[in-house]
Amino acid sequence: MSSSRPSNHAHLEAASEWFSVLSDKPVSESDRRAWQQWLEDDIAHRQAWQQVESVGAMFSAFKDDTEKHSAGYVLNNGGSVNRRQLMKGMLGVTGVAALGWIGWNETPLPTIASSWMADFHTQVGQVATYDLEDGSQVWLNTNSAINRFPRRENRGVSLVMGEVLVQTQTSLDSRAFSVSCAHGLVRSSEETVRFCVRQLSTEQSVLAVYEGAVSLAPFDSSASRTLYGGEEVIFSSHTMADTQPASLLYDSWRDGLLIVEDMPLKNFMAEIGRYNHDYINLDPSVDDLRVVGTFPNHDLNLVLSMLSKSFPIRVRHPLPWWVSVSAA
């Protein structure tokens, strides 16, 4: 998870340092008074402190539970608690942390709830593959969810949240394979296709095609377009951007990799942040460094080490769940 709020980098750094001091029991009275004075000095200090507290609460909610009480354990192994009960319990016990997490990622609560109730769902940092009844194969990226279409009516899946990669094979079922998302419908009548659909935000999605051909129809537009292997397009419910060469980014994650080509460091940190609960506080002075290469998406420390060898940046860990990246 990377920084997405406009809070000043230096203020956030100071707030994380104070959080570290106050978390190290016992806290001296002089430190407590100094922290209180720092809070009172500037409203920006108070805003930064609230942000660090929110991230800390979120981290504790996800990291401190034992495996057998985690959502992933219950969903993957079954048990007496169903998904609806689990969702209710999580929102009740970790309400503050959940709301902080929702605000950070600008994800509406109904989407979060729907993802837990979906047919297939992955947690943050998890990539999973599923075989469908018609022989098609789908991969779900980190923090993603899909539902199968009703078998008698359609052939395909609905993307509830996140990102799905589809590989269809020769099938006795002659119906087109479809993927719907918040902004449009993707369909293919060809026997073998491979394509990825990712919801970039509440406003836009991206379709990248790697094999075969698919048609794209935004929900609130009469226009449609056919994309072929090697093509990609960003679209909304109303419009489609110009077709571009397909990025390897949307095909490499199924192998545990992020292949990036000339990506601003700010965007790259947001990308790697999708696979981690850690908060990444990036100094704006290094936002525009250009990243090129292949990186593991499951090892944040290794990625940061690789970046440190290529760029004049300084990486610090003032807290176990807080990463600071600034100019060296």
Side-chain angles (χ1 to χ4, degrees):
M1 178 179 59
S2 63
S3 172
S4 61
R5 290 186 179 182
S7 299
N8 183 274
H9 175 84
H11 292 157
L12 286 173
E13 288 297 281
S16 69
E17 295 288 353
W18 276 119
F19 194 98
S20 178
V21 169
L22 297 178
S23 299
D24 188 15
K25 309 294 184 185
V27 181
S28 69
E29 189 58 32
S30 61
D31 281 339
R32 194 176 298 278
R33 286 197 300 267
W35 165 70
Q36 192 65 47
Q37 184 60 54
W38 177 80
L39 282 180
E40 294 173 357
D41 284 343
D42 196 320
I43 188 174
H45 294 175
R46 296 190 289 277
Q47 292 172 339
W49 177 256
Q50 290 171 356
Q51 190 167 343
V52 172
E53 275 194 314
S54 297
V55 179
M58 177 198 64
F59 179 86
S60 296
F62 282 109
K63 295 286 188 177
D64 290 348
D65 288 341
T66 61
E67 181 182 359
K68 287 193 176 182
H69 289 86
S70 71
Y73 181 90
V74 176
L75 292 180
N76 293 329
N77 296 278
S80 60
V81 180
N82 63 33
R83 281 180 282 192
R84 191 181 303 275
Q85 292 171 323
L86 176 63
M87 189 65 198
K88 180 180 178 181
M90 287 188 66
L91 292 179
V93 174
T94 63
V96 174
L99 288 175
W101 183 79
I102 290 164
W104 229 275
N105 292 275
E106 299 177 355
T107 306
L109 180 57
T111 302
I112 301 295
S114 297
S115 71
W116 285 109
M117 300 296 293
D119 292 331
F120 302 111
H121 174 269
T122 55
Q123 302 173 66
V124 172
Q126 179 188 10
V127 173
T129 180
Y130 303 97
D131 296 320
L132 303 183
E133 292 86 348
D134 67 347
S136 301
Q137 194 170 29
V138 296
W139 290 261
L140 273 187
N141 203 356
T142 175
N143 197 31
S144 299
I146 56 172
N147 283 318
R148 288 171 291 196
F149 285 158
R151 192 170 181 181
R152 294 181 179 179
E153 300 174 15
N154 297 286
R155 176 179 173 231
V157 297
S158 173
L159 180 61
V160 177
M161 183 173 74
E163 186 171 9
V164 61
L165 180 70
V166 175
Q167 173 82 59
T168 66
Q169 305 290 348
T170 301
S171 172
L172 296 177
D173 193 332
S174 61
R175 293 174 300 172
F177 189 97
S178 302
V179 174
S180 67
C181 67
H183 307 109
L185 181 67
V186 179
R187 291 169 57 87
S188 176
S189 299
E190 294 194 7
E191 290 185 344
T192 302
V193 292
R194 188 171 85 258
F195 62 94
C196 178
V197 180
R198 172 173 164 186
Q199 294 182 178
L200 298 173
S201 66
T202 57
E203 302 297 327
Q204 289 184 320
S205 294
V206 62
L207 165 64
V209 184
Y210 298 98
E211 184 178 0
V214 301
S215 65
L216 169 64
F219 285 137
D220 298 327
S221 171
S222 59
S224 64
R225 185 183 303 175
T226 298
L227 276 78
Y228 301 91
E231 295 184 331
E232 167 188 319
V233 66
I234 293 175
F235 63 98
S236 69
S237 298
H238 305 276
T239 61
M240 292 178 283
D242 293 337
T243 301
Q244 303 291 335
S247 170
L248 294 176
L249 177 68
Y250 304 118
D251 192 37
S252 59
W253 54 261
R254 64 172 171 163
D255 297 318
L257 301 173
L258 291 180
I259 299 179
V260 296
E261 305 157 287
D262 197 32
M263 179 182 287
L265 183 60
K266 178 181 179 180
N267 295 359
F268 180 77
M269 287 291 106
E271 195 65 37
I272 194 66
R274 297 174 61 217
Y275 298 85
N276 298 272
H277 291 302
D278 302 63
Y279 180 79
I280 304 172
N281 187 28
L282 184 67
D283 191 326
S285 66
V286 296
D287 277 355
D288 295 329
L289 294 175
R290 315 300 290 192
V291 181
V292 178
T294 301
F295 303 85
N297 59 24
H298 59 279
D299 192 334
L300 179 60
N301 288 331
L302 177 57
V303 169
L304 293 171
S305 176
M306 294 170 69
L307 292 174
S308 298
K309 294 176 182 178
S310 302
F311 297 113
I313 60 174
R314 180 190 181 204
V315 178
R316 296 173 55 249
H317 296 82
L319 292 164
W321 38 266
W322 187 282
V323 179
S324 171
V325 181
S326 59

